[in-house]
Amino acid sequence: MAVVTDGMEGGASISRLITETLLNSYNRQVSFEPGDFLYLTAEISEFALENYIKQTGINVGSTLVTFIVENSQMNYVSVGDSHIYLMRNNTLTLLNKEHSLGALFKEKAERGEVAPMETYTNPKRNFLTAYIGMGSFQIVDRNTNPIILKGGTRFCFALMAFTMIWEMMR
Protein backbone atom coordinates (compact mmCIF):
# COMPACT_ATOMS: atom_id res chain seq x y z
CA MET A 1 0.00 0.00 0.00
CA ALA A 2 1.19 3.51 -0.77
CA VAL A 3 -0.35 6.74 0.53
CA VAL A 4 0.46 10.30 -0.53
CA THR A 5 -1.31 13.24 1.10
CA ASP A 6 -0.84 16.97 0.68
CA GLY A 7 -2.33 18.79 3.65
CA MET A 8 -3.49 22.40 3.63
CA GLU A 9 -3.41 24.79 6.62
CA GLY A 10 -1.20 22.84 9.01
CA GLY A 11 -0.35 20.38 6.30
CA ALA A 12 2.07 18.07 8.09
CA SER A 13 -0.28 17.19 10.96
CA ILE A 14 -3.27 16.86 8.61
CA SER A 15 -1.34 14.62 6.23
CA ARG A 16 -0.15 12.51 9.16
CA LEU A 17 -3.73 12.12 10.49
CA ILE A 18 -5.03 10.90 7.13
CA THR A 19 -2.04 8.67 6.42
CA GLU A 20 -2.17 7.06 9.87
CA THR A 21 -5.92 6.50 9.55
CA LEU A 22 -5.40 4.69 6.24
CA LEU A 23 -2.41 2.65 7.37
CA ASN A 24 -4.00 1.68 10.70
CA SER A 25 -7.07 0.45 8.82
CA TYR A 26 -4.84 -1.48 6.43
CA ASN A 27 -2.89 -3.11 9.27
CA ARG A 28 -6.12 -4.26 10.97
CA GLN A 29 -7.54 -5.91 7.85
CA VAL A 30 -7.39 -9.67 7.47
CA SER A 31 -9.25 -10.10 4.20
CA PHE A 32 -10.57 -7.39 1.92
CA GLU A 33 -11.31 -6.42 -1.66
CA PRO A 34 -8.67 -3.71 -2.30
CA GLY A 35 -10.84 -1.26 -4.27
CA ASP A 36 -13.68 -1.29 -1.75
CA PHE A 37 -11.22 -1.14 1.15
CA LEU A 38 -9.49 1.96 -0.27
CA TYR A 39 -12.79 3.75 -0.82
CA LEU A 40 -14.01 2.90 2.69
CA THR A 41 -10.78 3.98 4.38
CA ALA A 42 -10.70 7.23 2.39
CA GLU A 43 -14.25 7.84 3.65
CA ILE A 44 -13.12 7.02 7.21
CA SER A 45 -10.32 9.57 6.76
CA GLU A 46 -12.93 12.15 5.75
CA PHE A 47 -14.84 11.47 8.98
CA ALA A 48 -11.63 11.62 11.06
CA LEU A 49 -10.73 14.99 9.55
CA GLU A 50 -14.28 16.32 10.01
CA ASN A 51 -14.01 15.33 13.69
CA TYR A 52 -10.66 17.14 13.93
CA ILE A 53 -12.23 20.26 12.39
CA LYS A 54 -15.12 20.15 14.89
CA GLN A 55 -12.72 19.73 17.84
CA THR A 56 -10.25 22.43 16.83
CA GLY A 57 -12.42 24.84 14.87
CA ILE A 58 -9.66 24.99 12.26
CA ASN A 59 -10.79 24.57 8.65
CA VAL A 60 -8.29 22.15 7.09
CA GLY A 61 -8.10 19.66 4.25
CA SER A 62 -5.83 17.42 2.24
CA THR A 63 -5.53 15.80 -1.13
CA LEU A 64 -5.12 12.03 -1.21
CA VAL A 65 -3.81 9.42 -3.61
CA THR A 66 -3.47 5.86 -2.39
CA PHE A 67 -3.14 2.47 -3.96
CA ILE A 68 -2.79 -1.19 -3.07
CA VAL A 69 -0.87 -3.74 -5.09
CA GLU A 70 -1.93 -7.31 -4.46
CA ASN A 71 -1.37 -10.36 -6.66
CA SER A 72 0.08 -8.15 -9.45
CA GLN A 73 -3.09 -6.04 -9.50
CA MET A 74 -3.35 -2.38 -8.53
CA ASN A 75 -6.37 -0.49 -7.20
CA TYR A 76 -6.35 3.23 -6.39
CA VAL A 77 -8.45 6.01 -4.89
CA SER A 78 -7.80 9.74 -5.27
CA VAL A 79 -9.39 12.93 -4.03
CA GLY A 80 -7.99 16.34 -5.01
CA ASP A 81 -5.46 17.51 -7.56
CA SER A 82 -2.59 15.06 -7.03
CA HIS A 83 -1.90 12.80 -9.99
CA ILE A 84 -1.13 9.10 -10.35
CA TYR A 85 0.74 8.19 -13.52
CA LEU A 86 1.46 4.70 -14.82
CA MET A 87 4.53 4.16 -16.99
CA ARG A 88 4.52 1.07 -19.12
CA ASN A 89 6.47 0.44 -22.32
CA ASN A 90 7.88 4.00 -22.19
CA THR A 91 4.35 5.44 -22.23
CA LEU A 92 3.16 7.66 -19.38
CA THR A 93 -0.60 7.48 -18.68
CA LEU A 94 -2.55 9.61 -16.20
CA LEU A 95 -4.78 7.21 -14.23
CA ASN A 96 -6.92 9.55 -12.15
CA LYS A 97 -8.92 12.71 -12.65
CA GLU A 98 -7.91 16.05 -11.18
CA HIS A 99 -10.51 17.63 -8.90
CA SER A 100 -9.89 21.33 -9.57
CA LEU A 101 -11.66 24.19 -11.29
CA GLY A 102 -8.92 24.15 -13.95
CA ALA A 103 -9.79 20.55 -14.83
CA LEU A 104 -13.46 21.50 -14.89
CA PHE A 105 -12.70 24.46 -17.20
CA LYS A 106 -10.72 22.11 -19.47
CA GLU A 107 -13.68 19.72 -19.75
CA LYS A 108 -16.01 22.65 -20.51
CA ALA A 109 -13.57 24.02 -23.11
CA GLU A 110 -13.47 20.61 -24.82
CA ARG A 111 -17.30 20.74 -25.05
CA GLY A 112 -17.16 24.34 -26.36
CA GLU A 113 -18.86 25.77 -23.25
CA VAL A 114 -15.99 28.13 -22.31
CA ALA A 115 -13.00 29.59 -24.12
CA PRO A 116 -9.94 27.28 -24.09
CA MET A 117 -7.82 29.99 -22.45
CA GLU A 118 -10.11 29.87 -19.38
CA THR A 119 -8.25 26.71 -18.35
CA TYR A 120 -4.99 28.67 -18.08
CA THR A 121 -6.04 32.21 -17.20
CA ASN A 122 -8.88 31.97 -14.71
CA PRO A 123 -7.53 33.08 -11.31
CA LYS A 124 -9.54 30.32 -9.59
CA ARG A 125 -8.22 27.49 -11.79
CA ASN A 126 -6.20 25.97 -8.91
CA PHE A 127 -9.17 25.85 -6.50
CA LEU A 128 -10.04 22.29 -5.51
CA THR A 129 -13.48 20.88 -6.22
CA ALA A 130 -12.84 17.92 -3.88
CA TYR A 131 -10.48 17.14 -1.00
CA ILE A 132 -10.49 15.22 2.26
CA GLY A 133 -12.04 17.53 4.87
CA MET A 134 -14.40 19.26 2.46
CA GLY A 135 -17.38 18.04 4.46
CA SER A 136 -18.74 15.72 1.81
CA PHE A 137 -17.44 12.60 0.19
CA GLN A 138 -19.04 12.81 -3.22
CA ILE A 139 -16.19 13.35 -5.68
CA VAL A 140 -13.81 10.42 -5.50
CA ASP A 141 -11.83 8.89 -8.31
CA ARG A 142 -11.10 5.16 -8.31
CA ASN A 143 -10.58 2.38 -10.77
CA THR A 144 -13.46 -0.05 -11.07
CA ASN A 145 -11.32 -2.85 -12.50
CA PRO A 146 -7.86 -3.66 -11.12
CA ILE A 147 -4.91 -2.63 -13.27
CA ILE A 148 -2.88 -5.72 -14.16
CA LEU A 149 0.80 -5.09 -13.46
CA LYS A 150 3.85 -6.50 -15.18
CA GLY A 151 7.51 -6.34 -14.19
CA GLY A 152 8.99 -2.89 -14.80
CA THR A 153 5.70 -1.05 -14.23
CA ARG A 154 6.34 2.34 -12.67
CA PHE A 155 4.07 4.78 -10.86
CA CYS A 156 4.62 8.47 -10.35
CA PHE A 157 2.68 10.60 -7.87
CA ALA A 158 2.77 14.28 -8.81
CA LEU A 159 2.02 17.00 -6.29
CA MET A 160 2.74 20.72 -6.56
CA ALA A 161 6.20 20.54 -4.96
CA PHE A 162 6.81 16.82 -4.66
CA THR A 163 7.19 13.82 -6.91
CA MET A 164 7.59 10.27 -5.71
CA ILE A 165 8.44 7.39 -8.00
CA TRP A 166 7.69 3.84 -7.00
CA GLU A 167 8.77 0.95 -9.14
CA MET A 168 7.25 -2.47 -8.90
CA MET A 169 10.05 -5.02 -8.96
CA ARG A 170 9.33 -8.61 -9.96
Side-chain angles (χ1 to χ4, degrees):
M1 178 177 193
V3 178
V4 178
T5 58
D6 185 16
M8 305 169 266
E9 304 295 326
S13 61
I14 302 311
S15 293
R16 186 171 28 263
L17 172 67
I18 293 169
T19 301
E20 287 176 356
T21 300
L22 286 160
L23 294 177
N24 288 338
S25 296
Y26 181 77
N27 289 332
R28 287 193 302 262
Q29 291 298 318
V30 176
S31 177
F32 57 84
E33 192 285 313
D36 292 340
F37 168 79
L38 288 172
Y39 182 86
L40 177 63
T41 54
E43 191 173 36
I44 291 168
S45 294
E46 171 69 30
F47 295 137
L49 197 50
E50 286 177 22
N51 188 41
Y52 176 88
I53 292 167
K54 286 177 187 172
Q55 289 178 358
T56 64
I58 302 169
N59 192 16
V60 295
S62 179
T63 64
L64 166 69
V65 290
T66 183
F67 72 80
I68 292 177
V69 175
E70 185 177 84
N71 300 322
S72 298
Q73 297 182 359
M74 188 268 255
N75 286 279
Y76 71 85
V77 165
S78 73
V79 182
D81 63 352
S82 299
H83 296 165
I84 308 170
Y85 292 94
L86 171 78
M87 181 180 268
R88 186 181 283 160
N89 301 323
N90 294 322
T91 302
L92 195 62
T93 305
L94 177 64
L95 296 179
N96 62 330
K97 294 181 181 177
E98 182 176 312
H99 304 131
S100 71
L101 287 178
L104 188 60
F105 294 147
K106 183 177 179 183
E107 289 175 14
K108 288 183 175 190
E110 290 170 356
R111 293 191 303 261
E113 296 172 12
V114 299
M117 288 305 294
E118 190 76 13
T119 302
Y120 307 103
T121 59
N122 190 298
K124 295 183 179 181
R125 67 186 175 278
N126 292 323
F127 285 22
L128 296 177
T129 56
Y131 56 88
I132 302 292
M134 192 170 191
S136 66
F137 201 71
Q138 297 176 2
I139 302 175
V140 178
D141 194 32
R142 64 187 276 196
N143 57 321
T144 53
N145 295 310
I147 297 167
I148 307 302
L149 304 178
K150 301 171 185 169
T153 299
R154 292 180 177 90
F155 298 101
C156 176
F157 301 92
L159 307 171
M160 287 288 194
F162 169 71
T163 301
M164 179 179 93
I165 297 177
W166 179 82
E167 181 174 352
M168 179 179 173
M169 305 296 287
R170 288 202 45 144

